[in-house]
Amino acid sequence: MKQMTLDLTKATCFVAPDAMKALEPQVMAAMNALEAGTCAGNDFLGWLHLPTGLTTELLADIKACAQTLREHCEAIVVAGIGGSYLGARAVLEALGDSFSWLKADNNPRILFAGNNIGEDYLSELIDYLHGKRFGVINISKSGTTTETAITFRLLKRLCEEERGKEMARKVIVAITDAKKGAARTTADKEGYTSFIIPDNVGGRFSVLTPVGLLPIACAGFDIDALVQGARDMEKATAVDVPFDQNLCAQYAAIRNVLYQAGKKIEILVNFQPKLHYMNEWWKQLYGESEGKDGKGIFPAAVDFSTDLHSMGQWIQDGERTIFETVISVERPEHTLAVPSDDENLDGLNFLAGKRIDEVNHMAELGTQLAHVDGGVPNIRICIERLDAYNIGALIYFFEKACGVSGLVLGVNPFNQPGVEDYKRNMFALLNKPGYEAESKAIQERLQ
């Protein structure tokens, strides 16, 4: 299997020649602090050696549970928010058939809910599930996260009404805390199959736990290959791998060098539509990890060449506070060529016989050259193909680099104190018991 590569040449040309070398001591100090567990947020480092720590027994249990759900469900709803669903969705979209939902096959349709409070969305989901053999994977450490808890109430009731309590117990699975919380209490009381979210793994780093692995296995994808890709990347980016050969150290360094040079926005770019939700997962990973203490690169994302016809103008000629990181896929899973046309009214016969992927790669190269000429530093991450192994490697690469980059930036990459602010206001506005003082204060403020 070809190893992922990282090309920084079109980014380092925008900074001082010795900028990367100058940052090397800080980057390697961050790598060592992660490994030694002496960094800020060291109680949330369970993801660091998660790939090599996953046991054969746990993977077998996940696959067995997935098989039970696959046998008894034509649809499976994953109820979760943030890291409790984005990682799984990123992998499913990357590996799946773009139009699988239109096809009749042996795989259940994987649906996602619990990530919003849209009444229309939930009503339409309930309508869709009526009369269908469906199951639920409820993902929540606490069981009280508002968006997910509301959704699970609705799904639990519908599943019991449609399928009966006995079957509901078989097709509802909880992924939650080992001992405490509403979701754990419900799972134990109802007798649901359950898996544990490790205490020392935050949601945005949880793809390689049952949080991500169970939905991925339910969709019929190879979680052994996914984990192996992550394991190989864990070894390739270990603390004893030299700075100039360590992909995570290099990516963390160039991001911070560019940030110090005034590049405040990083745009993750793909030229493969299947990577859209990888972009979304990456945005949470980096935004929630680095955006604190008045610091942090703002993570944005685009799908090219689609967004070249919308955001392309701003990227080419807008304020020069941006840099791009492009995920480049060397080869597609299918073969399709441009046909010839006798009339050639569109003038495209010069492309006749060429692979669609060749055209796409020339669009990628042409865009990179144009954006570099326009003053946009470009980082290029190249993977061989969109398969489980390469996606697993990419996930671990981004996670490890995120931890290192956040420490170099000078923040705790593993907490998210700002996430709670909206919740306090929402609970006060809804008059949740225990929030009387906050409710009074916010009502006075609104008046």
Side-chain angles (χ1 to χ4, degrees), residues 141-173:
K141 268 190 178 180
S142 66
T144 58
T145 302
T146 306
E147 294 88 342
T148 306
I150 289 174
T151 299
F152 182 63
R153 274 197 179 199
L154 292 167
L155 293 173
K156 178 177 182 291
R157 182 178 67 178
L158 181 65
C159 191
E160 290 174 347
E161 289 173 351
E162 294 270 323
R163 310 204 63 183
K165 280 215 165 192
E166 184 177 346
M167 179 56 73
R169 290 190 184 99
K170 185 176 288 189
V171 297
I172 295 178
V173 177

PDB file of all heavy atoms in Angstrom, residues 141-173:
ATOM      1  N   LYS A 141     -22.380  10.318  25.567  1.00  0.00           N
ATOM      2  CA  LYS A 141     -21.765   9.981  26.854  1.00  0.00           C
ATOM      3  C   LYS A 141     -22.746  10.214  27.996  1.00  0.00           C
ATOM      4  O   LYS A 141     -22.867   9.399  28.901  1.00  0.00           O
ATOM      5  CB  LYS A 141     -20.505  10.829  27.071  1.00  0.00           C
ATOM      6  CG  LYS A 141     -19.223  10.181  26.589  1.00  0.00           C
ATOM      7  CD  LYS A 141     -18.006  10.951  27.056  1.00  0.00           C
ATOM      8  CE  LYS A 141     -16.728  10.242  26.605  1.00  0.00           C
ATOM      9  NZ  LYS A 141     -15.506  10.965  27.031  1.00  0.00           N
ATOM     10  N   SER A 142     -23.443  11.347  27.948  1.00  0.00           N
ATOM     11  CA  SER A 142     -24.319  11.710  29.058  1.00  0.00           C
ATOM     12  C   SER A 142     -25.748  11.205  28.876  1.00  0.00           C
ATOM     13  O   SER A 142     -26.430  10.875  29.841  1.00  0.00           O
ATOM     14  CB  SER A 142     -24.352  13.233  29.213  1.00  0.00           C
ATOM     15  OG  SER A 142     -24.956  13.833  28.076  1.00  0.00           O
ATOM     16  N   GLY A 143     -26.199  11.188  27.645  1.00  0.00           N
ATOM     17  CA  GLY A 143     -27.604  10.869  27.392  1.00  0.00           C
ATOM     18  C   GLY A 143     -28.519  12.055  27.577  1.00  0.00           C
ATOM     19  O   GLY A 143     -29.743  11.933  27.453  1.00  0.00           O
ATOM     20  N   THR A 144     -27.944  13.232  27.860  1.00  0.00           N
ATOM     21  CA  THR A 144     -28.766  14.426  28.096  1.00  0.00           C
ATOM     22  C   THR A 144     -28.473  15.548  27.105  1.00  0.00           C
ATOM     23  O   THR A 144     -29.020  16.642  27.243  1.00  0.00           O
ATOM     24  CB  THR A 144     -28.542  14.953  29.532  1.00  0.00           C
ATOM     25  OG1 THR A 144     -27.153  15.253  29.722  1.00  0.00           O
ATOM     26  CG2 THR A 144     -28.985  13.926  30.558  1.00  0.00           C
ATOM     27  N   THR A 145     -27.602  15.321  26.123  1.00  0.00           N
ATOM     28  CA  THR A 145     -27.373  16.341  25.094  1.00  0.00           C
ATOM     29  C   THR A 145     -28.694  16.598  24.376  1.00  0.00           C
ATOM     30  O   THR A 145     -29.305  15.671  23.832  1.00  0.00           O
ATOM     31  CB  THR A 145     -26.305  15.871  24.092  1.00  0.00           C
ATOM     32  OG1 THR A 145     -25.093  15.588  24.804  1.00  0.00           O
ATOM     33  CG2 THR A 145     -26.040  16.924  23.038  1.00  0.00           C
ATOM     34  N   THR A 146     -29.143  17.830  24.376  1.00  0.00           N
ATOM     35  CA  THR A 146     -30.519  18.158  23.991  1.00  0.00           C
ATOM     36  C   THR A 146     -30.901  17.603  22.629  1.00  0.00           C
ATOM     37  O   THR A 146     -31.938  16.932  22.473  1.00  0.00           O
ATOM     38  CB  THR A 146     -30.736  19.680  24.013  1.00  0.00           C
ATOM     39  OG1 THR A 146     -30.352  20.182  25.290  1.00  0.00           O
ATOM     40  CG2 THR A 146     -32.181  20.025  23.727  1.00  0.00           C
ATOM     41  N   GLU A 147     -30.086  17.898  21.604  1.00  0.00           N
ATOM     42  CA  GLU A 147     -30.434  17.496  20.243  1.00  0.00           C
ATOM     43  C   GLU A 147     -30.588  15.985  20.125  1.00  0.00           C
ATOM     44  O   GLU A 147     -31.555  15.473  19.546  1.00  0.00           O
ATOM     45  CB  GLU A 147     -29.356  17.982  19.265  1.00  0.00           C
ATOM     46  CG  GLU A 147     -29.250  19.502  19.125  1.00  0.00           C
ATOM     47  CD  GLU A 147     -28.315  20.142  20.141  1.00  0.00           C
ATOM     48  OE1 GLU A 147     -27.989  19.494  21.171  1.00  0.00           O
ATOM     49  OE2 GLU A 147     -27.926  21.297  19.930  1.00  0.00           O
ATOM     50  N   THR A 148     -29.623  15.259  20.690  1.00  0.00           N
ATOM     51  CA  THR A 148     -29.641  13.802  20.581  1.00  0.00           C
ATOM     52  C   THR A 148     -30.701  13.182  21.476  1.00  0.00           C
ATOM     53  O   THR A 148     -31.378  12.212  21.087  1.00  0.00           O
ATOM     54  CB  THR A 148     -28.254  13.234  20.926  1.00  0.00           C
ATOM     55  OG1 THR A 148     -27.268  13.876  20.103  1.00  0.00           O
ATOM     56  CG2 THR A 148     -28.195  11.737  20.704  1.00  0.00           C
ATOM     57  N   ALA A 149     -30.874  13.716  22.674  1.00  0.00           N
ATOM     58  CA  ALA A 149     -31.843  13.152  23.613  1.00  0.00           C
ATOM     59  C   ALA A 149     -33.278  13.291  23.102  1.00  0.00           C
ATOM     60  O   ALA A 149     -34.089  12.362  23.227  1.00  0.00           O
ATOM     61  CB  ALA A 149     -31.694  13.817  24.985  1.00  0.00           C
ATOM     62  N   ILE A 150     -33.609  14.441  22.530  1.00  0.00           N
ATOM     63  CA  ILE A 150     -34.950  14.621  21.952  1.00  0.00           C
ATOM     64  C   ILE A 150     -35.169  13.592  20.839  1.00  0.00           C
ATOM     65  O   ILE A 150     -36.214  12.923  20.762  1.00  0.00           O
ATOM     66  CB  ILE A 150     -35.122  16.052  21.403  1.00  0.00           C
ATOM     67  CG1 ILE A 150     -35.224  17.063  22.541  1.00  0.00           C
ATOM     68  CG2 ILE A 150     -36.357  16.139  20.499  1.00  0.00           C
ATOM     69  CD1 ILE A 150     -35.241  18.517  22.078  1.00  0.00           C
ATOM     70  N   THR A 151     -34.177  13.464  19.965  1.00  0.00           N
ATOM     71  CA  THR A 151     -34.291  12.531  18.842  1.00  0.00           C
ATOM     72  C   THR A 151     -34.446  11.098  19.327  1.00  0.00           C
ATOM     73  O   THR A 151     -35.277  10.332  18.807  1.00  0.00           O
ATOM     74  CB  THR A 151     -33.051  12.657  17.938  1.00  0.00           C
ATOM     75  OG1 THR A 151     -32.983  13.990  17.420  1.00  0.00           O
ATOM     76  CG2 THR A 151     -33.096  11.670  16.787  1.00  0.00           C
ATOM     77  N   PHE A 152     -33.659  10.711  20.334  1.00  0.00           N
ATOM     78  CA  PHE A 152     -33.747   9.331  20.818  1.00  0.00           C
ATOM     79  C   PHE A 152     -35.102   9.048  21.452  1.00  0.00           C
ATOM     80  O   PHE A 152     -35.649   7.947  21.300  1.00  0.00           O
ATOM     81  CB  PHE A 152     -32.626   9.031  21.807  1.00  0.00           C
ATOM     82  CG  PHE A 152     -32.645   7.607  22.291  1.00  0.00           C
ATOM     83  CD1 PHE A 152     -32.448   6.560  21.408  1.00  0.00           C
ATOM     84  CD2 PHE A 152     -32.905   7.307  23.625  1.00  0.00           C
ATOM     85  CE1 PHE A 152     -32.489   5.232  21.830  1.00  0.00           C
ATOM     86  CE2 PHE A 152     -32.953   5.994  24.070  1.00  0.00           C
ATOM     87  CZ  PHE A 152     -32.745   4.954  23.164  1.00  0.00           C
ATOM     88  N   ARG A 153     -35.670  10.027  22.150  1.00  0.00           N
ATOM     89  CA  ARG A 153     -37.037   9.845  22.696  1.00  0.00           C
ATOM     90  C   ARG A 153     -38.006   9.463  21.586  1.00  0.00           C
ATOM     91  O   ARG A 153     -38.805   8.538  21.712  1.00  0.00           O
ATOM     92  CB  ARG A 153     -37.514  11.127  23.365  1.00  0.00           C
ATOM     93  CG  ARG A 153     -37.109  11.293  24.799  1.00  0.00           C
ATOM     94  CD  ARG A 153     -37.979  12.357  25.448  1.00  0.00           C
ATOM     95  NE  ARG A 153     -37.635  12.544  26.844  1.00  0.00           N
ATOM     96  CZ  ARG A 153     -38.436  13.117  27.719  1.00  0.00           C
ATOM     97  NH1 ARG A 153     -39.643  13.546  27.344  1.00  0.00           N
ATOM     98  NH2 ARG A 153     -38.064  13.269  28.980  1.00  0.00           N
ATOM     99  N   LEU A 154     -37.937  10.226  20.492  1.00  0.00           N
ATOM    100  CA  LEU A 154     -38.848   9.992  19.379  1.00  0.00           C
ATOM    101  C   LEU A 154     -38.599   8.628  18.741  1.00  0.00           C
ATOM    102  O   LEU A 154     -39.537   7.868  18.450  1.00  0.00           O
ATOM    103  CB  LEU A 154     -38.675  11.090  18.326  1.00  0.00           C
ATOM    104  CG  LEU A 154     -39.116  12.503  18.733  1.00  0.00           C
ATOM    105  CD1 LEU A 154     -38.586  13.531  17.733  1.00  0.00           C
ATOM    106  CD2 LEU A 154     -40.636  12.598  18.806  1.00  0.00           C
ATOM    107  N   LEU A 155     -37.322   8.291  18.523  1.00  0.00           N
ATOM    108  CA  LEU A 155     -36.988   7.042  17.843  1.00  0.00           C
ATOM    109  C   LEU A 155     -37.287   5.821  18.708  1.00  0.00           C
ATOM    110  O   LEU A 155     -37.754   4.794  18.201  1.00  0.00           O
ATOM    111  CB  LEU A 155     -35.511   7.057  17.438  1.00  0.00           C
ATOM    112  CG  LEU A 155     -35.114   8.081  16.374  1.00  0.00           C
ATOM    113  CD1 LEU A 155     -33.605   8.094  16.191  1.00  0.00           C
ATOM    114  CD2 LEU A 155     -35.809   7.790  15.048  1.00  0.00           C
ATOM    115  N   LYS A 156     -37.008   5.918  19.986  1.00  0.00           N
ATOM    116  CA  LYS A 156     -37.277   4.800  20.891  1.00  0.00           C
ATOM    117  C   LYS A 156     -38.769   4.474  20.906  1.00  0.00           C
ATOM    118  O   LYS A 156     -39.178   3.317  20.787  1.00  0.00           O
ATOM    119  CB  LYS A 156     -36.796   5.150  22.301  1.00  0.00           C
ATOM    120  CG  LYS A 156     -37.053   4.074  23.368  1.00  0.00           C
ATOM    121  CD  LYS A 156     -36.468   4.520  24.708  1.00  0.00           C
ATOM    122  CE  LYS A 156     -36.660   3.459  25.796  1.00  0.00           C
ATOM    123  NZ  LYS A 156     -38.057   3.292  26.200  1.00  0.00           N
ATOM    124  N   ARG A 157     -39.582   5.515  21.043  1.00  0.00           N
ATOM    125  CA  ARG A 157     -41.029   5.292  21.076  1.00  0.00           C
ATOM    126  C   ARG A 157     -41.514   4.686  19.761  1.00  0.00           C
ATOM    127  O   ARG A 157     -42.290   3.722  19.755  1.00  0.00           O
ATOM    128  CB  ARG A 157     -41.754   6.617  21.338  1.00  0.00           C
ATOM    129  CG  ARG A 157     -43.276   6.446  21.438  1.00  0.00           C
ATOM    130  CD  ARG A 157     -43.968   7.743  21.737  1.00  0.00           C
ATOM    131  NE  ARG A 157     -43.866   8.688  20.625  1.00  0.00           N
ATOM    132  CZ  ARG A 157     -44.424   9.896  20.630  1.00  0.00           C
ATOM    133  NH1 ARG A 157     -45.089  10.320  21.697  1.00  0.00           N
ATOM    134  NH2 ARG A 157     -44.290  10.691  19.592  1.00  0.00           N
ATOM    135  N   LEU A 158     -41.044   5.233  18.635  1.00  0.00           N
ATOM    136  CA  LEU A 158     -41.486   4.726  17.335  1.00  0.00           C
ATOM    137  C   LEU A 158     -41.030   3.285  17.125  1.00  0.00           C
ATOM    138  O   LEU A 158     -41.795   2.445  16.636  1.00  0.00           O
ATOM    139  CB  LEU A 158     -40.941   5.617  16.214  1.00  0.00           C
ATOM    140  CG  LEU A 158     -41.341   5.208  14.799  1.00  0.00           C
ATOM    141  CD1 LEU A 158     -42.853   5.342  14.606  1.00  0.00           C
ATOM    142  CD2 LEU A 158     -40.597   6.031  13.759  1.00  0.00           C
ATOM    143  N   CYS A 159     -39.802   2.981  17.497  1.00  0.00           N
ATOM    144  CA  CYS A 159     -39.275   1.631  17.304  1.00  0.00           C
ATOM    145  C   CYS A 159     -40.077   0.615  18.121  1.00  0.00           C
ATOM    146  O   CYS A 159     -40.409  -0.473  17.635  1.00  0.00           O
ATOM    147  CB  CYS A 159     -37.801   1.584  17.697  1.00  0.00           C
ATOM    148  SG  CYS A 159     -36.942   0.062  17.207  1.00  0.00           S
ATOM    149  N   GLU A 160     -40.413   0.968  19.353  1.00  0.00           N
ATOM    150  CA  GLU A 160     -41.206   0.064  20.200  1.00  0.00           C
ATOM    151  C   GLU A 160     -42.611  -0.098  19.648  1.00  0.00           C
ATOM    152  O   GLU A 160     -43.175  -1.208  19.676  1.00  0.00           O
ATOM    153  CB  GLU A 160     -41.241   0.594  21.627  1.00  0.00           C
ATOM    154  CG  GLU A 160     -39.896   0.493  22.336  1.00  0.00           C
ATOM    155  CD  GLU A 160     -39.892   1.145  23.711  1.00  0.00           C
ATOM    156  OE1 GLU A 160     -40.854   1.897  24.027  1.00  0.00           O
ATOM    157  OE2 GLU A 160     -38.925   0.923  24.464  1.00  0.00           O
ATOM    158  N   GLU A 161     -43.182   0.986  19.120  1.00  0.00           N
ATOM    159  CA  GLU A 161     -44.537   0.905  18.556  1.00  0.00           C
ATOM    160  C   GLU A 161     -44.547   0.087  17.264  1.00  0.00           C
ATOM    161  O   GLU A 161     -45.465  -0.707  17.033  1.00  0.00           O
ATOM    162  CB  GLU A 161     -45.064   2.312  18.266  1.00  0.00           C
ATOM    163  CG  GLU A 161     -45.389   3.123  19.517  1.00  0.00           C
ATOM    164  CD  GLU A 161     -45.757   4.565  19.193  1.00  0.00           C
ATOM    165  OE1 GLU A 161     -45.600   4.983  18.020  1.00  0.00           O
ATOM    166  OE2 GLU A 161     -46.180   5.277  20.118  1.00  0.00           O
ATOM    167  N   GLU A 162     -43.556   0.303  16.421  1.00  0.00           N
ATOM    168  CA  GLU A 162     -43.531  -0.337  15.104  1.00  0.00           C
ATOM    169  C   GLU A 162     -43.050  -1.784  15.167  1.00  0.00           C
ATOM    170  O   GLU A 162     -43.538  -2.641  14.421  1.00  0.00           O
ATOM    171  CB  GLU A 162     -42.610   0.457  14.160  1.00  0.00           C
ATOM    172  CG  GLU A 162     -43.097   1.853  13.834  1.00  0.00           C
ATOM    173  CD  GLU A 162     -43.968   1.880  12.607  1.00  0.00           C
ATOM    174  OE1 GLU A 162     -43.693   1.140  11.653  1.00  0.00           O
ATOM    175  OE2 GLU A 162     -44.950   2.658  12.601  1.00  0.00           O
ATOM    176  N   ARG A 163     -42.084  -2.067  16.051  1.00  0.00           N
ATOM    177  CA  ARG A 163     -41.416  -3.366  16.017  1.00  0.00           C
ATOM    178  C   ARG A 163     -41.639  -4.204  17.274  1.00  0.00           C
ATOM    179  O   ARG A 163     -41.242  -5.367  17.318  1.00  0.00           O
ATOM    180  CB  ARG A 163     -39.919  -3.180  15.780  1.00  0.00           C
ATOM    181  CG  ARG A 163     -39.587  -2.253  14.596  1.00  0.00           C
ATOM    182  CD  ARG A 163     -38.226  -2.531  14.031  1.00  0.00           C
ATOM    183  NE  ARG A 163     -38.120  -3.880  13.464  1.00  0.00           N
ATOM    184  CZ  ARG A 163     -37.005  -4.389  12.952  1.00  0.00           C
ATOM    185  NH1 ARG A 163     -35.900  -3.663  12.950  1.00  0.00           N
ATOM    186  NH2 ARG A 163     -36.983  -5.619  12.459  1.00  0.00           N
ATOM    187  N   GLY A 164     -42.275  -3.598  18.287  1.00  0.00           N
ATOM    188  CA  GLY A 164     -42.492  -4.306  19.541  1.00  0.00           C
ATOM    189  C   GLY A 164     -41.283  -4.169  20.450  1.00  0.00           C
ATOM    190  O   GLY A 164     -40.153  -4.016  20.001  1.00  0.00           O
ATOM    191  N   LYS A 165     -41.543  -4.254  21.755  1.00  0.00           N
ATOM    192  CA  LYS A 165     -40.474  -4.006  22.724  1.00  0.00           C
ATOM    193  C   LYS A 165     -39.354  -5.040  22.629  1.00  0.00           C
ATOM    194  O   LYS A 165     -38.169  -4.707  22.782  1.00  0.00           O
ATOM    195  CB  LYS A 165     -41.048  -3.985  24.144  1.00  0.00           C
ATOM    196  CG  LYS A 165     -41.721  -2.676  24.528  1.00  0.00           C
ATOM    197  CD  LYS A 165     -41.493  -2.384  25.994  1.00  0.00           C
ATOM    198  CE  LYS A 165     -41.840  -0.933  26.310  1.00  0.00           C
ATOM    199  NZ  LYS A 165     -41.358  -0.541  27.649  1.00  0.00           N
ATOM    200  N   GLU A 166     -39.692  -6.273  22.393  1.00  0.00           N
ATOM    201  CA  GLU A 166     -38.670  -7.315  22.354  1.00  0.00           C
ATOM    202  C   GLU A 166     -37.698  -7.088  21.196  1.00  0.00           C
ATOM    203  O   GLU A 166     -36.469  -7.150  21.373  1.00  0.00           O
ATOM    204  CB  GLU A 166     -39.320  -8.694  22.229  1.00  0.00           C
ATOM    205  CG  GLU A 166     -38.303  -9.834  22.276  1.00  0.00           C
ATOM    206  CD  GLU A 166     -38.967 -11.203  22.227  1.00  0.00           C
ATOM    207  OE1 GLU A 166     -40.197 -11.285  22.417  1.00  0.00           O
ATOM    208  OE2 GLU A 166     -38.240 -12.176  21.989  1.00  0.00           O
ATOM    209  N   MET A 167     -38.209  -6.797  20.001  1.00  0.00           N
ATOM    210  CA  MET A 167     -37.335  -6.545  18.857  1.00  0.00           C
ATOM    211  C   MET A 167     -36.603  -5.219  19.030  1.00  0.00           C
ATOM    212  O   MET A 167     -35.425  -5.097  18.643  1.00  0.00           O
ATOM    213  CB  MET A 167     -38.141  -6.535  17.559  1.00  0.00           C
ATOM    214  CG  MET A 167     -37.279  -6.258  16.318  1.00  0.00           C
ATOM    215  SD  MET A 167     -35.885  -7.411  16.109  1.00  0.00           S
ATOM    216  CE  MET A 167     -36.750  -8.895  15.586  1.00  0.00           C
ATOM    217  N   ALA A 168     -37.275  -4.226  19.632  1.00  0.00           N
ATOM    218  CA  ALA A 168     -36.617  -2.935  19.855  1.00  0.00           C
ATOM    219  C   ALA A 168     -35.362  -3.108  20.700  1.00  0.00           C
ATOM    220  O   ALA A 168     -34.328  -2.483  20.451  1.00  0.00           O
ATOM    221  CB  ALA A 168     -37.575  -1.951  20.523  1.00  0.00           C
ATOM    222  N   ARG A 169     -35.436  -3.969  21.702  1.00  0.00           N
ATOM    223  CA  ARG A 169     -34.259  -4.209  22.542  1.00  0.00           C
ATOM    224  C   ARG A 169     -33.112  -4.818  21.737  1.00  0.00           C
ATOM    225  O   ARG A 169     -31.943  -4.651  22.071  1.00  0.00           O
ATOM    226  CB  ARG A 169     -34.616  -5.149  23.703  1.00  0.00           C
ATOM    227  CG  ARG A 169     -35.515  -4.533  24.750  1.00  0.00           C
ATOM    228  CD  ARG A 169     -35.634  -5.418  25.990  1.00  0.00           C
ATOM    229  NE  ARG A 169     -36.585  -4.852  26.936  1.00  0.00           N
ATOM    230  CZ  ARG A 169     -37.847  -5.245  27.063  1.00  0.00           C
ATOM    231  NH1 ARG A 169     -38.298  -6.236  26.295  1.00  0.00           N
ATOM    232  NH2 ARG A 169     -38.655  -4.686  27.936  1.00  0.00           N
ATOM    233  N   LYS A 170     -33.458  -5.523  20.666  1.00  0.00           N
ATOM    234  CA  LYS A 170     -32.431  -6.170  19.843  1.00  0.00           C
ATOM    235  C   LYS A 170     -31.793  -5.199  18.856  1.00  0.00           C
ATOM    236  O   LYS A 170     -30.620  -5.369  18.481  1.00  0.00           O
ATOM    237  CB  LYS A 170     -33.062  -7.349  19.091  1.00  0.00           C
ATOM    238  CG  LYS A 170     -32.072  -8.181  18.289  1.00  0.00           C
ATOM    239  CD  LYS A 170     -32.744  -9.391  17.647  1.00  0.00           C
ATOM    240  CE  LYS A 170     -33.104 -10.434  18.694  1.00  0.00           C
ATOM    241  NZ  LYS A 170     -33.560 -11.705  18.076  1.00  0.00           N
ATOM    242  N   VAL A 171     -32.556  -4.185  18.419  1.00  0.00           N
ATOM    243  CA  VAL A 171     -32.069  -3.304  17.338  1.00  0.00           C
ATOM    244  C   VAL A 171     -31.780  -1.885  17.812  1.00  0.00           C
ATOM    245  O   VAL A 171     -31.496  -1.009  16.999  1.00  0.00           O
ATOM    246  CB  VAL A 171     -33.065  -3.277  16.159  1.00  0.00           C
ATOM    247  CG1 VAL A 171     -33.197  -4.660  15.540  1.00  0.00           C
ATOM    248  CG2 VAL A 171     -34.425  -2.730  16.589  1.00  0.00           C
ATOM    249  N   ILE A 172     -31.862  -1.639  19.120  1.00  0.00           N
ATOM    250  CA  ILE A 172     -31.404  -0.364  19.670  1.00  0.00           C
ATOM    251  C   ILE A 172     -30.092  -0.627  20.400  1.00  0.00           C
ATOM    252  O   ILE A 172     -30.021  -1.498  21.274  1.00  0.00           O
ATOM    253  CB  ILE A 172     -32.433   0.257  20.630  1.00  0.00           C
ATOM    254  CG1 ILE A 172     -33.720   0.623  19.884  1.00  0.00           C
ATOM    255  CG2 ILE A 172     -31.851   1.508  21.296  1.00  0.00           C
ATOM    256  CD1 ILE A 172     -34.818   1.196  20.776  1.00  0.00           C
ATOM    257  N   VAL A 173     -29.057   0.097  20.023  1.00  0.00           N
ATOM    258  CA  VAL A 173     -27.730  -0.070  20.605  1.00  0.00           C
ATOM    259  C   VAL A 173     -27.304   1.254  21.218  1.00  0.00           C
ATOM    260  O   VAL A 173     -27.525   2.324  20.636  1.00  0.00           O
ATOM    261  CB  VAL A 173     -26.708  -0.508  19.536  1.00  0.00           C
ATOM    262  CG1 VAL A 173     -25.302  -0.618  20.129  1.00  0.00           C
ATOM    263  CG2 VAL A 173     -27.128  -1.830  18.906  1.00  0.00           C
TER     264      VAL A 173
END
